[in-house]
């Protein structure tokens, strides 16, 4: 597929491109309407754009979509979608229905470089980061085109494959497209980005002021244990991470969610619960407890339901909102930490995002390396 993917572009990039063609800038809004509201998949569908312009643009622009390879449904209603990208790599996206919510869990990378010991996605390392379009397309897949206000989903979590802040540029640009009026138009309050705690990137992400919710995977209460299960803790120990969380810009009633994967006899003791309460002091937070989804080859075990309950009770008794997250979709390997890429194509991406899509903030994040266990860094970085 030649040229630039329209779904990688921000409104201002499209406007600049059109002005360079001698066209008025308002046509960019027209293009966006087609790309996001009507979900056009070719320039030829844009009936109110002059034919000659459409032909000219078509030589340089295209609109990407994802190819569904497989769809699986869990007994609990959770659905998992395996998509093929243009270069043959594959990603997984999950749709999780609950009583009053339907949450889409999107991937931001093919694989992951962070190497958390309890996570299946970590096992093959990172193949590449996703382009903004590849993140946005996971959402659009569930969005009915045309004028109906109905959506097949209510919330989006960036908790699928990959570390969103290791793909800061792709994540930020996708979020801009997803939340803009000219784009998909989803309220940022309905979106949560989860990170393992890349502190420099977290600071840069805060400066983008996107107003989305933040989740941080804490997973331990001592540096010794956190480093053992999350090697990223060597670079950014708990106090450094929590200081960045305290400085993170939050709206009036917004709170940071801390995720805590419970591992039997390692981080699930009463002493851990006590330390956790102390660590959370002064933070506007809630805690999501995730009993480990066991993974073949991983030495950790899930605690008993009783231990999980006691841990939660201690937090609640000490004034911390704490929830136990049910492992949804475990029978189809769709639960947290169970996503993986079945096809990994390590060849270089044929379609790179255009330089025009890169806002300056992304070059100012200090070139942080997140790297224990990184295998490859390709794609839109
Ligand atoms: N990379 C990001 C987002 C994807 S992981 C991050 O780490 O935050 C989403 C969540 O799943 C994280 O909180 C992570 O700690 C959790 N997780 C990973 N493996 C898990 C497992 N085997 N069982 C339960 N939760 C797991
Ligand atoms: Fe990557 Fe998150 Fe899995 Fe850690 S838990 S390896 S950061 S996807």
């Amino acid at each position: 597929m030649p040229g630039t993917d329209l779904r990688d572009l921000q409104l201002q990039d499209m406007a600049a491109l059109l002005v360079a063609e001698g066209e008025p800038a308002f046509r960019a809004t027209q293009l966006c309407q087609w790309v996001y509201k009507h979900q056009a998949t070719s320039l030829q569908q844009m009936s109110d754009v002059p034919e000659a312009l459409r032909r000219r643009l078509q030589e340089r622009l295209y609109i990407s979509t994802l190819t569904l390879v497989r769809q699986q449904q869990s007994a609990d209603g959770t659905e998992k979608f395996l998509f093929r990208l243009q270069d043959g790599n594959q990603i997984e996206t999950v749709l999780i229905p609950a009583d009053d919510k339907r949450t889409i869990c999107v991937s931001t990378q093919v694989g992951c470089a962070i190497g958390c010991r309890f996570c299946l996605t970590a096992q093959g390392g990172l193949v590449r980061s996703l382009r903004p379009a590849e993140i946005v397309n996971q959402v659009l897949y569930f969005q009915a085109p045309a004028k109906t206000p109905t959506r097949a989903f209510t919330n989006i979590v960036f908790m699928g494959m990959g570390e969103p802040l290791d793909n800061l540029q792709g994540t930020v640009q996708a979020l801009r497209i997803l939340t803009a009026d000219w784009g998909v138009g989803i309220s940022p309050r309905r979106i949560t980005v989860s990170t393992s705690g890349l502190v420099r990137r977290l600071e840069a992400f805060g400066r983008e002021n996107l107003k989305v919710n933040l989740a941080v995977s804490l997973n331990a209460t001592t540096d010794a244990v956190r480093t053992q299960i999350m090697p990223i803790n060597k670079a950014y120990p708990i106090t450094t991470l929590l200081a960045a969380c305290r400085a993170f810009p939050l709206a009036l009633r917004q709170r940071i969610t801390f995720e805590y994967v419970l591992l039997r006899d390692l981080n699930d003791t009463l002493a851990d619960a006590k330390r956790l309460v102390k660590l959370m002091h002064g933070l506007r937070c809630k805690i999501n407890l995730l009993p480990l989804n066991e993974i073949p080859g991983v030495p950790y075990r899930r605690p008993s339901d009783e231990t999980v309950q006691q841990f939660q009770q201690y937090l609640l008794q000490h004034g911390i909102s704490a929830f136990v997250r049910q492992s949804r979709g475990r029978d189809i390997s769709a639960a947290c930490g169970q996503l993986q890429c079945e096809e990994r194509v390590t060849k270089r991406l044929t379609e790179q995002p255009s330089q025009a899509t890169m806002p300056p903030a992304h070059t100012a994040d200090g070139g942080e390396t997140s790297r224990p266990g990184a295998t490859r860094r390709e794609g839109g970085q």
Side-chain angles (χ1 to χ4, degrees), residues 95-106:
L95 180 67
I96 310 151
D99 301 339
D100 52 344
K101 280 199 210 164
R102 285 168 69 81
T103 303
I104 312 177
C105 178
V106 298

Side-chain angles (χ1 to χ4, degrees), residues 40-226:
T41 50
S42 111
L43 279 125
Q44 276 320 318
Q45 291 166 265
M46 303 184 179
S47 50
D48 55 1
V49 176
E51 169 69 24
L53 176 62
R54 269 187 269 162
R55 266 206 306 271
R56 256 188 297 143
L57 292 179
Q58 206 168 301
E59 287 164 20
R60 302 199 275 130
L61 300 173
Y62 73 101
I63 304 163
S64 66
T65 51
L66 296 171
T67 309
L68 182 68
V69 177
R70 195 176 59 229
Q71 178 174 357
Q72 289 168 279
Q73 181 150 25
S74 156
D76 68 21
T78 302
E79 286 181 82
K80 185 169 81 166
F81 301 79
L82 178 69
F83 292 115
R84 187 182 304 114
L85 307 170
Q86 265 166 251
D87 66 355
N89 277 302
Q90 293 185 352
I91 52 165
E92 293 188 316
T93 308
V94 182
L95 180 67
I96 310 151
D99 301 339
D100 52 344
K101 280 199 210 164
R102 285 168 69 81
T103 303
I104 312 177
C105 178
V106 298
S107 294
T108 53
Q109 296 184 307
V110 181
C112 185
I114 305 299
C116 302
R117 305 276 184 253
F118 46 80
C119 174
L120 187 62
T121 310
Q123 286 187 0
L126 175 70
V127 177
R128 70 168 173 89
S129 284
L130 298 188
R131 293 187 283 112
E134 292 168 327
I135 300 172
V136 171
N137 280 340
Q138 292 172 66
V139 175
L140 288 177
Y141 186 84
F142 299 97
Q143 167 106 321
K147 297 169 188 96
T148 58
T150 48
R151 279 207 173 105
F153 61 90
T154 56
N155 296 69
I156 304 172
V157 292
F158 281 51
M159 293 187 189
M161 290 162 52
E163 164 51 50
L165 300 190
D166 192 35
N167 178 13
L168 184 64
Q169 177 174 306
T171 296
V172 168
Q173 293 191 30
L175 287 169
R176 291 211 185 285
I177 294 169
L178 290 173
T179 55
D181 287 341
W182 54 261
V184 189
I186 298 164
S187 162
R189 294 283 177 267
R190 293 185 176 277
I191 303 180
T192 300
V193 173
S194 175
T195 178
S196 58
L198 310 189
V199 168
R200 297 279 93 78
R201 298 279 177 103
L202 185 57
E203 290 162 354
F205 186 65
R207 288 194 291 275
E208 297 285 340
N209 197 22
L210 290 154
K211 302 193 164 61
V212 295
N213 302 300
L214 177 70
V216 174
S217 300
L218 186 61
N219 297 342
T221 59
T222 65
D223 282 323
V225 171
R226 193 163 191 269

Side-chain angles (χ1 to χ4, degrees), residues 251-268:
L252 207 56
R253 266 180 287 276
Q254 216 172 11
R255 291 185 289 179
I256 297 180
T257 301
F258 288 93
E259 292 152 296
Y260 195 97
V261 179
L262 283 162
L263 308 167
R264 181 181 291 193
D265 300 333
L266 190 64
N267 67 1
D268 64 345

